[in-house]
């Protein structure tokens, strides 16, 4: 809908986004706007469907005043999490609540036309199942497994995405009439999703994804920080002390080449085991395999050593560990904590929590939806 951006930047609607029903008088007091202004904006919001009546408040004499509340299903959001080997698409309401979802296996190396066509197809299937159409969309949020220039939505020299560099993702999906399209890298949207759903009260948070690659999303002062070229948080290509392994980026000793799921699986194969994926690694640890458990713990120490520098630089109060290897239980987390607390100043770790992601696979989808909502409300 064309008026969503205008309506959602309205002070009246902002006051109702928390879901709390309010009367005209309450909205006038809270907004500081004139009665006629508030009345006009309520009428516009009612007409758009973004606000609906919500009963009546207790009367203080005379006719009970009407109350109004935000209607989160007035518009929907398509959220897409594009991984190295999968595509997940969800339909959410305007709070980011997932209404329906679909996942398929698809290699990012198939290229942008193939992958984005599948994103659009899956989105339309979800809309049809919900008996809604593209005209009901507030927008589409997309997370990609590589650096993204957020202002344009174009991938920026992504190492595992052949054919994607500088591709116009926004233009391609906009041709499908999927509303405003917002694109960011997958770790940033996971950080947004985890922050919005689990740690909204936390001002300083670091979300670390440990999977095929390793990266971090930085929340500082309650806001996502992307950096000048969108490369903030790319800790996977910081050199791990004492290592010279060749990384896919062309450098040697990168954390990703030492402690990612791919690196760990390679180390376990060299030790005589046969994991071919991160899930195989997780399964070995869960089965109590001592070699796998020891290797994962050491990977945690390597990650923690790099994160110790981030703790001193950013001073987060929460570090959230997500990604496929985070499912390996306490072994990875124990190694990370061990290195962080050993190498960071006590002042920076006094109240620091290092925890596993709570929102699991939903983090990326909720974050992609949050990306659209933040754009809509300015």
């Amino acid at each position: 809908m064309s008026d969503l951006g205008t309506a959602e930047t309205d002070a009246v609607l902002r006051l109702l986004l928390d879901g709390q029903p309010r009367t005209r008088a309450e909205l006038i007091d809270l907004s500081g706007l004139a009665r006629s202004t508030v009345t006009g904006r309520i009428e516009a919001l009612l007409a758009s469907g973004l606000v609906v009546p919500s009963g009546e408040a207790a009367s203080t004499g005379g006719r009970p005043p009407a109350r109004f509340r935000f209607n989160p299903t007035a518009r929907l959001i398509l959220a897409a999490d594009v991984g190295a080997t999968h595509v997940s698409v969800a339909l959410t309401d305007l709070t980011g609540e997932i209404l329906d979802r679909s996942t398929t296996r698809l290699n990012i190396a198939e290229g942008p036309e193939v992958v984005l066509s599948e994103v659009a197809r899956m989105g339309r299937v979800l809309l049809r199942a919900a008996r809604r159409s593209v005209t009901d969309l507030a927008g589409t949020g997309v997370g990609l497994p590589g650096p993204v220039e957020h202002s344009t939505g174009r991938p920026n020299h992504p190492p595992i995405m052949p054919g994607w560099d500088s591709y116009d993702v926004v233009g391609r999906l906009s041709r499908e009439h999927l509303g405003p399209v917002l694109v960011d890298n997958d770790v940033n949207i996971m950080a947004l999703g985890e922050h919005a759903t689990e740690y909204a009260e936390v001002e300083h948070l670091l979300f670390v994804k440990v999977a095929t690659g390793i990266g971090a999303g930085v929340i500082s002062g309650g806001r996502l920080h992307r950096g000048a070229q969108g490369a903030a948080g790319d800790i996977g290509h910081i050199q791990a002390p004492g290592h010279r392994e060749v990384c896919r980026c062309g450098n040697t000793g990168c954390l990703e080449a030492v402690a990612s799921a791919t690196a760990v699986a390679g180390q376990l194969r060299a030790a005589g085991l046969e994991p071919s994926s991160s899930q195989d690694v997780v399964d070995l640890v869960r089965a109590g395999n001592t070699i796998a458990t020891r290797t994962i713990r050491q990977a945690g120490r390597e990650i923690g050593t790099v994160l110790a520098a981030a703790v001193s630089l950013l001073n987060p109060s929460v570090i959230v560990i997500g990604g496929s290897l985070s499912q390996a239980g306490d072994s990875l987390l124990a190694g990370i904590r061990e290195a962080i607390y050993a190498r960071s100043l006590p002042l920076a770790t006094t109240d620091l929590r290092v925890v596993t992601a709570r929102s699991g696979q939903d983090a990326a989808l909720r974050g992609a939806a949050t990306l659209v909502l933040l754009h809509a409300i300015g």
Side-chain angles (χ1 to χ4, degrees):
M1 174 184 171
S2 62
D3 66 350
L4 179 62
T6 300
E8 290 226 354
T9 54
D10 189 288
V12 173
L13 184 56
R14 280 179 176 274
L15 292 171
L16 294 170
L17 287 177
D18 63 1
Q20 178 67 38
R22 292 185 173 90
T23 65
R24 280 187 177 86
E26 289 171 331
L27 292 170
I28 290 167
D29 289 341
L30 290 169
S31 68
L33 298 171
R35 176 177 294 275
S36 59
T37 301
V38 170
T39 297
R41 291 179 179 177
I42 288 175
E43 292 304 318
L45 291 168
L46 287 168
S48 72
L50 290 168
V51 165
V52 294
S54 184
E56 297 175 333
S59 174
T60 57
R63 184 178 177 180
R67 294 190 302 180
F68 306 92
R69 65 171 176 83
F70 175 55
N71 177 19
T73 60
R75 299 292 177 271
L76 302 176
I77 295 172
L78 275 182
D81 169 30
V82 179
T85 58
H86 78 276
V87 174
S88 294
V89 179
L91 195 63
T92 83
D93 65 18
L94 290 174
T95 69
E97 186 69 26
I98 295 174
L99 306 176
D100 198 2
R101 77 183 79 196
S102 178
T103 298
T104 187
R105 295 195 65 81
L106 183 61
N107 198 306
I108 193 74
E110 293 287 335
E113 277 295 328
V114 172
V115 173
L116 296 177
S117 292
E118 182 64 10
V119 168
R121 185 197 68 79
M122 293 168 71
R124 290 181 185 278
V125 169
L126 291 174
L127 283 167
R128 281 199 298 272
R131 298 184 178 180
R132 305 288 286 267
S133 73
V134 292
T135 59
D136 293 313
L137 288 178
T140 298
V142 181
L144 296 176
V148 172
E149 185 180 58
H150 179 65
S151 61
T152 65
R154 293 175 184 263
N156 190 358
H157 297 93
I160 64 167
M161 300 169 63
W164 286 79
D165 186 33
S166 295
Y167 186 85
D168 187 7
V169 177
V170 172
R172 175 65 184 84
L173 290 178
S174 294
R175 292 203 302 272
E176 302 283 346
H177 307 291
L178 300 181
V181 178
L182 285 302
V183 186
D184 211 331
N185 75 63
D186 56 355
V187 187
N188 279 349
I189 66 167
M190 291 173 81
L192 279 175
E194 187 80 10
H195 183 253
T197 59
E198 305 293 341
Y199 296 99
E201 79 289 352
V202 173
E203 288 283 301
H204 306 283
L205 177 146
L206 198 62
F207 185 98
V208 181
K209 179 185 177 184
V210 187
T212 305
I214 299 176
V218 181
I219 303 287
S220 182
R223 298 174 63 88
L224 178 67
H225 284 256
R226 298 182 173 90
Q229 273 77 43
D234 196 4
I235 63 170
H237 299 287
I238 295 174
Q239 188 172 38
H243 288 275
R244 299 294 299 169
E245 290 89 336
V246 177
C247 181
R248 59 185 174 178
C249 74
N251 288 327
T252 59
C254 292
L255 181 63
E256 187 172 296
V258 173
S260 68
T262 302
V264 170
Q267 293 161 20
L268 293 179
R269 287 194 294 271
L273 301 175
E274 298 182 355
S276 60
S277 67
S278 57
Q279 187 58 53
D280 292 340
V281 173
V282 170
D283 290 343
L284 283 168
V285 174
R286 288 178 173 175
N289 184 283
T290 55
I291 296 175
T293 300
R294 188 167 58 247
T295 304
I296 281 284
R297 176 108 182 206
Q298 182 57 35
R301 293 189 187 101
E302 303 289 358
I303 295 167
T305 298
V306 169
L307 285 178
V311 168
S312 296
L313 182 66
L314 301 170
N315 191 202
S317 53
V318 179
I319 296 178
V320 180
I321 309 299
S324 55
L325 279 196
S326 70
Q327 301 170 37
D330 293 336
S331 299
L332 182 72
L333 206 61
I336 292 173
R337 285 172 173 159
E338 178 185 331
I340 287 177
Y341 290 115
R343 292 176 174 269
S344 300
L345 289 174
L347 180 62
T349 57
T350 300
D351 297 314
L352 176 65
R353 289 178 284 164
V354 183
V355 298
T356 303
R358 296 176 183 172
S359 50
Q361 298 302 311
D362 286 351
L365 294 172
R366 294 292 295 266
T370 301
L371 201 63
V372 175
L373 186 58
L374 290 175
H375 172 77
I377 66 175

